[in-house]
Amino acid sequence: ITERDLALCTVAEKLSATPTRMVEADWQPLRDLGFDDQGIMDVAHIVGLFNYLTRLADGLGLQLDPATEEAGRTGVALRRGVS
C-alpha cells in the first residue's frame, strides 16, 4: 500500500467511525502529500457519500444481486452485457 493510500484510508476510517473527533492534524498527512483545500473537501465528500449510501442500503435492507456477490467474493470484475 502506498503512503498516499494509507493516508487516505486513515482519514476515511476516522471520518467514518468518529467524525466529531476529527481535528486539523488528522488532515495533515494529506496536506503533506500535496492535497489542497479542494482536495481535502473532495476526500470528505467522497467518504461522506459512501457512508450515506451504505447506511441507506443497510437501513432499507437492500441485498446484492448474485453476480455482484460473486464478483466481491472472487475479485473478478463485473462486465457489462455485450449485445
Side-chain angles (χ1 to χ4, degrees):
I1 187 166
T2 67
E3 181 183 2
R4 182 178 188 272
D5 289 344
L6 180 59
L8 286 165
C9 288
T10 300
V11 164
E13 181 178 23
K14 185 168 182 181
L15 185 57
S16 298
T18 55
T20 59
R21 294 185 185 155
M22 291 292 293
V23 295
E24 184 64 31
D26 293 317
W27 298 102
Q28 193 59 49
L30 296 182
R31 292 194 183 283
D32 293 344
L33 290 167
F35 284 74
D36 60 8
D37 288 344
Q38 183 62 53
I40 297 290
M41 286 301 295
D42 289 348
V43 169
H45 282 134
I46 291 166
V47 171
L49 285 170
F50 271 90
N51 278 300
Y52 166 74
L53 293 172
T54 300
R55 283 170 176 74
L56 185 64
D58 288 348
L60 293 173
L62 299 178
Q63 299 294 311
L64 295 175
D65 61 277
T68 302
E69 281 190 20
E70 177 76 7
R73 192 177 76 257
T74 64
V76 177
L78 292 172
R79 297 186 184 269
R80 291 185 178 178
V82 178
S83 22

